[in-house]
Amino acid sequence: MRPASASGHPSASEAGVRRRADPGLPAPRRRPEAGHVPLNSRSRCASIAASASRGPTTYHWNTGEGLSEVCAGGCAPQAGAWTSAWSPVHTAGSGPYKVQGEFGDGSLWDLHASWGAWQTAAEKCTTYTAGKVCARYEVRRYRDTPQERGRIAYTPANGGYVIPIAVGVGSTIDNSTTGRTSLLCQPCTKRTTPYSATTRIRETPNPGGTNEYYATARFEQPDGTTSVLKAAITG
């Protein structure tokens, strides 16, 4: 089952099907802060053995809106390849999509997919004579996995330059700090045109509770001063 993204957004990728002993669904995750974006979605059942059957029942996006039916009044059991009609839904930013149904023996299955557009969760910018430098903490979800990365971005001005040195991403959770830093140059060179670089992606540790998540950008100004910007979010 594969939801399709709106034009210009990354497409979804499928996760595996698994049986569920408990018919209950997990609690909705926190709604992303971006505005609602209209999308279409549909569920798809691959070919299965003639002796088996699957009946899709419900689907939902990570918007806290609850469940919707795949087929009005319920879908009939399907013993072969099958594709539902397109169903209009709304989602805010990127997030997971789930379809749930029943096997012929009455047990439940569910299928997860997601489309992950990187979003800036925190940003810290400073403008110098040489231009504007920003540190950005970016997040997304890949299937059910929250991910994060740090970004440095530079926009030159007045013919100036900066020398990017490193960009990092990290978190402080229960007074324990973890993170990763990417060195941007060996050796470092002047950047006289717009420049942007990110860290390697990492899974967001414990993405709940009251903790600090941040990105850092380290660079050298034309006067030789080394500066560090930090963009942080608590949550």
Side-chain angles (χ1 to χ4, degrees):
M1 307 187 182
R2 177 177 292 126
S5 65
S7 178
H9 289 288
S11 60
S13 47
E14 295 186 355
V17 176
R18 64 180 186 276
R19 292 173 180 263
R20 293 177 57 88
D22 183 357
L25 291 172
R29 297 178 178 83
R30 182 177 61 189
R31 182 193 301 267
E33 296 180 358
H36 281 272
V37 179
L39 297 174
N40 285 323
S41 70
R42 66 181 174 187
S43 57
R44 173 173 294 170
C45 290
S47 298
I48 53 179
S51 60
S53 67
R54 298 176 182 174
T57 55
T58 57
Y59 69 88
H60 74 110
W61 282 93
N62 180 23
T63 61
E65 299 297 335
L67 298 174
S68 300
E69 291 185 335
V70 174
C71 307
C75 299
Q78 305 296 325
W82 178 83
T83 302
S84 74
W86 288 99
S87 302
V89 296
H90 284 77
T91 187
S94 60
Y97 173 86
K98 173 187 282 189
V99 179
Q100 186 176 45
E102 296 182 5
F103 286 105
D105 62 4
S107 61
L108 299 180
W109 55 264
D110 58 25
L111 186 72
H112 297 260
S114 70
W115 59 283
W118 285 103
Q119 301 174 56
T120 299
E123 180 180 69
K124 176 67 173 179
C125 297
T126 301
T127 300
Y128 304 93
T129 302
K132 182 179 180 180
V133 184
C134 295
R136 295 181 183 135
Y137 174 69
E138 299 179 341
V139 297
R140 74 172 182 181
R141 280 189 176 272
Y142 178 71
R143 295 177 180 165
D144 283 338
T145 303
Q147 296 179 327
E148 62 185 7
R149 69 184 181 186
R151 177 184 295 276
I152 181 175
Y154 169 60
T155 303
N158 305 313
Y161 68 88
V162 298
I163 302 176
I165 299 173
V167 60
V169 64
S171 59
T172 300
I173 300 172
D174 297 330
N175 298 317
S176 177
T177 298
T178 61
R180 65 174 34 152
T181 299
S182 297
L183 296 177
L184 301 175
C185 48
Q186 294 289 340
C188 298
T189 57
K190 298 177 181 178
R191 298 291 178 174
T192 59
T193 58
Y195 174 81
S196 178
T198 63
T199 62
R200 288 183 297 119
I201 298 167
R202 79 166 192 163
E203 292 185 9
T204 307
N206 186 25
T210 303
N211 307 298
E212 183 184 54
Y213 306 88
Y214 60 85
T216 57
R218 184 158 54 99
F219 56 96
E220 183 179 317
Q221 300 180 49
D223 63 4
T225 302
T226 297
S227 300
V228 177
L229 292 178
K230 179 179 180 180
I233 186 171
T234 300

